Every structure is written in structure tokens, then in C-alpha cells.
């Protein structure tokens, strides 16, 4: 799976055309700032009176029954110690040795050691 992450984000990061990459956790914790910035980047203007949070999981159905809503995602991604729940030392070592460090640094992800 790390190859998919490396290839997907690497292709966008190295692209020669204009692009906007938004980290999920930034959208989760700073939604108004990120959405406003993205809108302005595209030449638009956000209407704050219509700004609404989607607190339930965005997708439904059997394939997404374990999806997180806003509260669950905030708990999961809001604390550094929760980010690696379910990963053992072998998993973390593999990720540290196979995920592209340049992308981790560019996207401000803390090192996996």
C-alpha cells in the first residue's frame, strides 16, 4: 500500500501543472481556514453564513460501515499517540523504510520511528 501512497502523492507533488493538495487532518481541524484559502486560490469567495460542518460519515453502505464521523476522526487524528493504534513495531519500521521521506517532510508529517 505504501507504493500507492508514494506514487499517488508523488505524482501530484512533482506535477508541472498547478495543483492544490490538502491534507485531510488540516481540513478536519481547520475547515473554515482551509476551505476559505482553497476557494480564494481558485478565485472564489466563501459565504460564511452558509458554512456547515458535516459531522456524520460522508459515505454509507457496507464498504464504509467503519467510517469515522467528525467526532471520531478528531479523536483518532487529534492526538499523536492515537495515530498508530493497531500498528506494531514491525509495521512502523516498514513504513519508516518505505514511505517517501521527501513527501512526509513536504506534507509536515512527523517521522515514523
Amino acid at each position: 500500500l505504501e507504493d500507492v501512497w508514494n506514487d499517488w502523492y508523488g505524482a501530484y507533488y512533482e506535477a508541472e501543472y498547478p495543483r492544490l493538495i490538502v491534507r485531510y487532518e488540516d481540513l478536519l481541524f481547520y475547515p473554515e481556514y482551509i476551505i476559505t484559502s482553497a476557494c480564494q486560490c481558485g478565485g472564489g469567495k466563501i459565504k460564511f453564513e452558509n458554512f456547515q460542518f458535516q459531522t456524520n460519515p460522508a459515505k454509507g453502505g457496507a464498504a464504509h460501515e467503519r467510517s469515522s464521523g467528525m467526532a471520531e476522526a478528531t479523536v483518532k487524528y487529534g492526538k499523536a499517540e492515537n495515530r498508530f493504534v493497531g500498528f506494531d513495531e514491525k509495521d512502523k519500521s516498514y513504513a519508516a523504510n518505505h514511505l517517501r521521506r521527501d513527501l512526509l517532510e513536504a506534507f509536515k508529517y512527523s517521522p515514523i520511528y
Side-chain angles (χ1 to χ4, degrees):
L1 196 53
E2 83 287 343
D3 287 338
V4 173
W5 191 88
N6 287 337
D7 291 347
W8 179 267
Y9 288 103
Y12 280 109
Y13 184 68
E14 296 162 355
E16 297 289 327
Y17 52 83
R19 72 266 184 226
L20 176 65
I21 300 172
V22 177
R23 298 182 329 158
Y24 171 72
E25 53 274 29
D26 291 332
L27 189 58
L28 179 66
F29 294 113
Y30 313 105
E32 291 185 48
Y33 174 78
I34 296 299
I35 292 169
T36 299
S37 298
C39 191
Q40 290 171 345
C41 179
K45 183 177 179 184
I46 193 164
K47 297 179 181 178
F48 283 106
E49 63 272 9
N50 295 330
F51 192 90
Q52 296 179 3
F53 290 97
Q54 172 62 36
T55 57
N56 295 320
K59 297 180 180 179
H64 303 284
E65 63 187 31
R66 295 183 59 194
S67 295
S68 301
M70 188 174 185
E72 294 89 357
T74 301
V75 170
K76 182 176 181 179
Y77 298 107
K79 292 186 176 186
E81 61 267 18
N82 290 346
R83 293 184 191 135
F84 297 107
V85 170
F87 292 86
D88 60 24
E89 291 305 314
K90 194 173 180 182
D91 295 328
K92 290 186 237 180
S93 175
Y94 186 86
N97 290 309
H98 290 86
L99 291 174
R100 284 181 49 181
R101 289 182 190 267
D102 62 325
L103 296 177
L104 292 171
E105 290 173 10
F107 299 143
K108 307 292 188 227
Y109 286 120
S110 55
I112 304 167
Y113 302 109

